[in-house]
Amino acid sequence: MVLAPDCFRQQLLAAIPRLRRYARSLVLDTGSADDVVQNTLERALAHWHQYDQRRDMVLWLLSIAHNAFLDARRRESRSLATDPSDLTQQLDAIGGDPGVDVGLRLDLAAALGRLSPEQREPLLLVTLEQLSYAECAEVLGIPIGTVMSRISRARAALRLLLDGKARTDGAATLRREV
């Protein structure tokens, strides 16, 4: 097996922080996100010769991460659910900025966890990773119009969840009383 060139490996290393952030937004669990990142890096190194240097390395890696996530989801054959108490424990473990409303972060994290992956993925690629709609469509392998539609529906769903108006499973709403 031929090893990847040094310039490829350097670009790969430089992209890891963004890759980790995207993986964490996909699975909402640090351990599982690290598994997605590792799987992505393994795939990238195994197929480095397929990388087109005219393409952005980050977009290529995010596409691989997206596919690795979908593969894992198919293997597990179960939907991902995040318990808000788990999110509280995670935020307590990592600490936080005392000037930031932790409750609002918890509400947002719980609301994101309640979005379907089909809505959450493009929303986070465009807002968190600051990709254009076209780049997001490339990463996800879907038409740009679908990206725009999913982001619009995700934003509307988040507004409803954060306003306490959405009850998708009969559980208590995510709205905090001040």
Side-chain angles (χ1 to χ4, degrees):
M1 179 162 107
V2 180
L3 293 177
D6 284 338
C7 63
F8 177 86
R9 288 186 298 209
Q10 292 302 321
Q11 287 179 328
L12 192 69
L13 289 173
I16 289 175
R18 287 189 68 188
L19 184 59
R20 291 186 78 206
R21 183 173 57 213
Y22 177 62
R24 285 181 179 173
S25 70
L26 278 177
V27 297
L28 303 173
D29 173 65
T30 305
S32 298
D34 289 343
D35 292 342
V36 171
V37 170
Q38 180 176 345
N39 194 338
T40 301
L41 295 174
E42 287 174 0
R43 289 181 185 192
L45 287 170
H47 301 284
W48 69 269
H49 57 280
Q50 295 175 350
Y51 172 65
D52 180 0
Q53 292 185 5
R54 293 172 293 182
R55 189 173 180 199
D56 184 355
M57 170 72 79
V58 172
L59 292 181
W60 186 64
L61 290 171
L62 292 176
S63 296
I64 294 171
H66 173 72
N67 290 332
F69 168 70
L70 291 179
D71 290 346
R73 213 169 81 193
R74 278 190 288 268
R75 274 192 309 271
E76 293 170 359
S77 299
R78 60 182 168 84
S79 62
L80 297 174
T82 302
D83 183 7
S85 64
D86 292 342
L87 293 171
T88 304
Q89 292 172 355
Q90 290 175 8
L91 286 175
D92 287 344
I94 62 172
D97 182 356
V100 175
D101 182 356
V102 175
L104 180 60
R105 289 191 329 200
L106 289 172
D107 289 350
L108 181 58
L112 284 169
R114 289 178 63 184
L115 290 178
S116 70
E118 290 76 21
Q119 289 179 349
R120 185 173 60 240
E121 293 165 6
L123 177 68
L124 293 173
L125 283 172
V126 169
T127 58
L128 185 65
E129 294 301 327
Q130 299 180 347
L131 299 185
S132 69
Y133 287 165
E135 291 170 329
C136 180
E138 180 184 340
V139 167
L140 299 177
I142 57 177
I144 193 168
T146 304
V147 168
M148 294 166 66
S149 173
R150 288 180 182 178
I151 290 172
S152 176
R153 283 183 279 139
R155 287 178 174 157
L158 277 178
R159 274 192 290 280
L160 288 175
L161 288 165
L162 293 172
D163 286 344
K165 297 178 182 173
R167 292 177 185 248
T168 58
D169 59 358
T173 60
L174 296 173
R175 187 170 184 205
R176 286 187 26 242
E177 297 300 322
V178 187

